[in-house]
Amino acid sequence: MTQRRLTFTAALLAAGLTAAPASAEISIAVAGPMDGQFRDLGAQMRAGAEQAVADLNAAGGVNGERLVLEVADDNCDADKAVAVANQLIGKDVVFVAGHFCFNASIPASEVYAGAGIVQISPGTTLPKFTDDRAGEGVFRLAPRDDQQAEVAGQFLADTYANDRIALLHDKTAYGKGLTDAVKAVMNDLGKSEELSLGFDAGEDDYRYIVSQLGLENVGVVFLGGYHPEAGLIKLEMDRQGLDAVLVAGDALMTDEFMAVAGEAGNGTMLTYPIDPRDIEQSSELVSVLEEAGKSADRYSLATYAAIQAWAQAANSAGGTELQAVADALSTQTFETVLGTVEFDEKGDGNRPEYVIYEWREGAPKLR
């Protein structure tokens, strides 16, 4: 075992885990899109889960019992997720780190709730997942979609209180929904927009939109939409000499935005869940995963943290029974690679939170 690995295991022990050899076994699972269109996200979840189980077992397991990991593929499909959930019941699984897509997480959560299985999703952001919670054993370590609007609206109202702000959206459910929610937050904080415009996605000429922004002498533009249109609009702003800041949502966290906007994209800001690599507590795990040639991306660390939180709750409860573990998860705090985690009355975790990133020198940097 490397010195780095020894140090990491020592940190687990310091969190209150026993170093006694694990004897009996506890079955847990990671469930997500292990194959198909979103398999890269499933690979992240699997990497984090496998590392968490290995590290916990090295530190003595949970309540002195060794963890055994089941890996389940739901392909982000509702029917398959239900089938997977029932299969995991048959394997006596007591905890599931998953699922990822909301259309898999929600129907699976109903199965787990009826079977006494605790579930912590590291990727489901739809508010309905916990707003209409299937049971008290359902939790998430993923930011809610509506939290993004709160952060963006507050940022606009506070940072640009004296600037003229325009609101744009691409008329899609995502773009218009986000812009409407940002507007509501911003307006509630006493900041009004100068104009609000919708545009058609898929066009390649946005001169007319930018001309209107220029006539209103706006200094800040909030855009609800995707990277192709955002890149073209920012490029056109630069061509027309409109010196205005572009602020947008998480859809602009892609290199494709800069590929479209070029140098004009620098200075663009966006809301996005904080990258685990920007969290101090995650640095050791990132190094361990990278040295092993495994994914150290967002969902690797979120899945690892979900298993950490469950393990600490089970240790505190003295067992894996749903009620006792759910009570612990609902009332205690947990030290994880995402930082100190706590869950509210709905089962929503406080990590990771939305923050502001800025495209600088062709890369997104924490503001």
Side-chain angles (χ1 to χ4, degrees):
M1 183 179 291
T2 66
Q3 182 60 44
R4 186 185 299 279
R5 189 64 182 278
L6 286 168
T7 301
F8 197 57
T9 302
L12 289 170
L13 295 174
L17 299 173
T18 173
S23 52
E25 293 183 342
I26 299 173
S27 293
I28 68 171
V30 57
M34 303 300 165
D35 198 5
Q37 180 181 4
F38 302 109
R39 61 185 177 275
D40 289 347
L41 301 174
Q44 292 182 37
M45 295 172 66
R46 180 171 186 161
E50 289 175 343
Q51 192 65 52
V53 166
D55 290 332
L56 285 164
N57 283 339
V62 172
N63 291 315
E65 298 183 55
R66 180 176 177 273
L67 298 179
V68 175
L69 180 68
E70 300 285 343
V71 179
D73 174 32
D74 63 24
N75 202 28
C76 278
D77 178 79
D79 291 339
K80 192 168 183 181
V82 169
V84 160
N86 282 299
Q87 290 167 10
L88 294 178
I89 292 173
K91 294 182 178 181
D92 295 323
V93 165
V94 297
F95 166 68
V96 175
H99 296 228
F100 182 84
C101 299
F102 74 84
N103 57 321
S105 275
I106 291 175
S109 71
E110 297 169 358
V111 178
Y112 299 138
I117 296 173
V118 175
Q119 174 189 11
I120 303 179
S121 172
T124 299
T125 60
L126 189 74
K128 177 181 171 67
F129 177 59
T130 50
D131 283 352
D132 299 331
R133 196 177 183 193
E136 55 193 331
V138 178
F139 299 85
R140 74 166 123 211
L141 272 179
R144 293 169 56 103
D145 289 335
D146 48 7
Q147 291 173 337
Q148 180 168 202
E150 294 175 9
V151 171
Q154 182 86 52
F155 175 69
L156 291 170
D158 291 349
T159 307
Y160 302 109
N162 299 318
D163 292 276
R164 295 170 66 83
I165 296 178
L167 302 178
L168 301 182
H169 65 81
D170 64 358
K171 302 179 184 178
T172 66
Y174 165 75
K176 187 176 188 304
L178 178 58
T179 299
D180 288 349
V182 168
K183 169 183 165 63
V185 173
M186 190 178 75
N187 292 170
D188 285 347
L189 293 171
K191 178 62 178 176
S192 299
E193 67 278 6
E194 300 304 321
L195 77 161
S196 181
L197 298 171
F199 60 88
D200 295 321
E203 295 186 1
D204 57 9
D205 186 351
Y206 292 102
R207 286 178 291 180
Y208 69 101
I209 285 282
V210 175
S211 294
Q212 290 185 67
L213 298 176
L215 289 173
E216 291 292 337
N217 195 31
V218 299
V220 182
V221 177
F222 180 83
L223 188 150
Y226 295 91
H227 65 272
E229 293 77 21
L232 290 173
I233 288 172
K234 188 65 178 73
L235 187 59
E236 186 60 34
M237 288 166 61
D238 187 62
R239 287 171 177 163
Q240 292 191 26
L242 179 60
D243 187 19
V245 176
L246 180 64
V247 183
D250 56 349
L252 266 62
M253 182 61 88
T254 170
D255 290 338
E256 294 303 312
F257 167 70
M258 292 298 291
V260 175
E263 289 294 322
N266 286 315
T268 297
M269 283 177 273
L270 66 147
T271 47
Y272 196 76
I274 187 167
D275 187 335
R277 294 169 184 269
D278 292 324
I279 300 173
E280 181 181 356
Q281 292 92 329
S282 72
S283 60
E284 190 76 17
L285 175 59
V286 168
S287 297
V288 169
L289 289 170
E290 288 182 341
E291 286 179 5
K294 298 179 180 179
S295 168
D297 294 314
R298 174 179 170 187
Y299 298 109
S300 303
L301 274 64
T303 304
Y304 189 104
I307 295 175
Q308 278 185 306
W310 170 81
Q312 291 173 39
N315 277 332
S316 175
T320 59
E321 188 267 330
L322 182 143
Q323 188 64 59
V325 175
D327 286 347
L329 286 169
S330 299
T331 58
Q332 299 176 20
T333 59
F334 308 96
E335 297 307 316
T336 77
V337 292
L338 297 182
T340 301
V341 164
E342 57 185 350
F343 298 94
D344 65 17
E345 66 280 358
K346 289 184 176 182
D348 291 326
N350 64 324
R351 300 280 182 168
E353 69 272 30
Y354 276 101
V355 294
I356 304 295
Y357 280 88
E358 180 180 353
W359 280 99
R360 296 196 303 267
E361 299 177 352
K365 306 291 180 61
L366 189 62
R367 190 173 186 275

